[in-house]
Amino acid sequence: MNDEIEVRVPGSPKRFHLNCWSVSGLESCVTVRVDDSVRYAFDIGHATRASIMCDHVFVTHGHIDHCGALPKHVSQRELRSRPPSTYYCPPDIEESLLTICQGFAAMNEGYINKPLSPSRKSVASPVGQDIPLSHGRVARPFRTYHRVASQGYLIYAHTRTRITEYMHLSGPEIGEYMAQGIQVWENKHLPEIAYTGDTTFDTFLDPDNADLLRSSILITEATYIDDRQPAEKARQRGHIHLQDIAKNAELFRHIGALVLVHLSDRYTSGQAQHWVRRLLPQWLLNKTWVPMLMKDMEGGYTY
Ligand SMILES: [Zn+2]
Ligand SMILES: [Zn+2]
């Protein structure tokens, strides 16, 4: 499934176009397109066609379903004569990713002509350290809580807004103030796109991650959704249960849109819709998206 879904932020003109290829344990790759020149890929467990268009790829952790297709992404970019993407990852896994790419280069007689190298294409990105991007945006890795070293990414968008005390001014008045050298505008970085990757619910309780809960779009996981799987099991495995989100729904009051991915392969899209409708309060449901699962396009296989 390679179609994009349009995610609208209620009460705002903002639109995001997402391609979500994500099933727990199999493969995860989520792309977000803001417009034709701003595209990001989060995780690269599968090199989707949408991801190949992305110059920036953010890897959350070293589980194979989140980074196993990184060498393929590198080779697909070359095959299609695109410049190398930049791959961001937790510092703990950079060396391993390099080794994997170099292994593929060796097996393919240089098919990956330019194996991933720290100087050219991969960036170990510590938590809290901003990554400058184009179009006035920066990405900031944040701490997540999984079974292995992991981090999510929050992309901030630069905006220029009028300082509150000058809100009432007319256009000509603003011009006058500016001519006198009075600063009537202020620059802000607003939390725009958040992607957690695999994590327990603790990520949302961490005070350092408060901006996640103000983002325009929050993409997170709900590996388990029904009452056959207890929430405690999700936590033990380093994941979120939909019950965690329902129980703490108030935390998500100020996000623009919530997108749930990484469902266990045991569920169908229909079951996902059923449980989301059953557990989430209506106001949160109104801004929640559960993208159709890729297996729906493959005959609906489940177990
Ligand atoms: Zn996973
Ligand atoms: Zn994982």
Side-chain angles (χ1 to χ4, degrees):
M1 80 151 209
N2 256 317
D3 293 334
E4 287 183 330
I5 57 167
E6 184 184 76
V7 174
R8 277 161 274 124
V9 176
S12 148
K14 284 209 177 219
R15 298 271 191 282
F16 299 97
H17 295 87
L18 271 64
N19 179 274
C20 300
W21 188 294
S22 177
V23 173
S24 171
L26 287 183
E27 44 206 17
S28 277
C29 177
V30 175
T31 61
V32 180
R33 179 169 69 80
V34 182
D35 57 43
D36 281 342
S37 52
V38 179
R39 299 166 185 264
Y40 307 112
F42 297 96
D43 282 329
I44 193 75
H46 179 53
T48 58
R49 287 175 191 273
S51 75
I52 293 161
M53 305 287 283
C54 298
D55 297 336
H56 301 277
V57 179
F58 299 92
V59 176
T60 59
H61 65 294
H63 281 156
I64 196 166
D65 54 322
H66 293 260
C67 63
L70 196 151
K72 193 166 187 180
H73 192 269
V74 174
S75 73
Q76 284 294 309
R77 293 280 293 192
E78 282 189 22
L79 207 63
R80 292 160 197 251
S81 304
R82 289 188 170 272
S85 299
T86 305
Y87 303 90
Y88 307 92
C89 65
D92 309 54
I93 67 169
E94 185 190 27
E95 200 55 47
S96 300
L97 290 177
L98 294 173
T99 304
I100 290 165
C101 287
Q102 283 154 3
F104 270 99
M107 287 191 291
N108 287 275
E109 298 174 327
Y111 175 53
I112 299 176
N113 291 319
K114 309 170 195 83
L116 198 65
S117 70
S119 57
R120 293 192 62 242
K121 294 187 224 165
S122 84
V123 180
S125 311
V127 163
Q129 194 168 299
D130 285 355
I131 302 163
L133 303 169
S134 58
H135 299 87
R137 288 180 168 83
V138 296
R140 187 174 300 163
F142 59 87
R143 185 180 176 198
T144 55
Y145 297 79
H146 194 38
R147 306 194 303 272
V148 294
S150 64
Q151 63 192 30
Y153 298 89
L154 176 51
I155 293 175
Y156 290 80
H158 173 260
T159 57
R160 192 163 167 264
T161 53
R162 216 182 299 170
I163 294 171
T164 317
E165 64 178 292
Y166 301 121
M167 279 296 186
H168 63 285
L169 296 182
S170 66
E173 286 171 327
I174 293 171
E176 267 178 45
Y177 274 63
M178 289 175 70
Q180 293 170 37
I182 297 171
Q183 190 56 261
V184 297
W185 300 95
E186 63 182 340
N187 294 316
K188 282 186 181 168
H189 277 99
L190 299 177
E192 187 182 40
I193 304 165
Y195 177 85
T196 65
D198 290 2
T199 183
T200 66
F201 198 80
D202 290 338
T203 287
F204 300 116
L205 305 176
D206 184 335
D208 289 343
N209 292 346
D211 277 356
L212 291 187
L213 301 168
R214 299 192 300 116
S215 51
S216 298
I217 180 168
L218 169 62
I219 305 158
T220 190
E221 66 135 291
T223 300
Y224 301 104
I225 56 173
D226 67 1
D227 51 13
R228 288 178 299 171
Q229 313 298 326
E232 189 49 36
K233 178 179 170 187
R235 166 177 288 278
Q236 284 166 4
R237 297 193 174 185
H239 292 300
I240 292 173
H241 196 296
L242 184 60
Q243 291 167 2
D244 296 321
I245 296 171
K247 204 165 67 183
N248 297 281
E250 207 50 44
L251 279 181
F252 302 96
R253 180 69 71 174
H254 301 296
I255 57 160
L258 175 67
V259 181
L260 301 177
V261 297
H262 199 268
L263 270 60
S264 162
D265 198 29
R266 74 190 67 225
Y267 305 119
T268 62
S269 291
Q271 287 170 324
Q273 297 295 341
H274 166 81
W275 282 101
V276 165
R277 280 195 213 106
R278 184 162 163 180
L279 293 185
L280 297 190
Q282 189 62 45
W283 64 265
L284 183 54
L285 193 58
N286 291 346
K287 55 181 181 179
T288 298
W289 301 74
V290 186
M292 192 165 71
L293 303 174
M294 63 185 175
K295 64 190 173 196
D296 291 351
M297 307 294 283
E298 297 171 339
Y301 170 77
T302 187
Y303 64 88

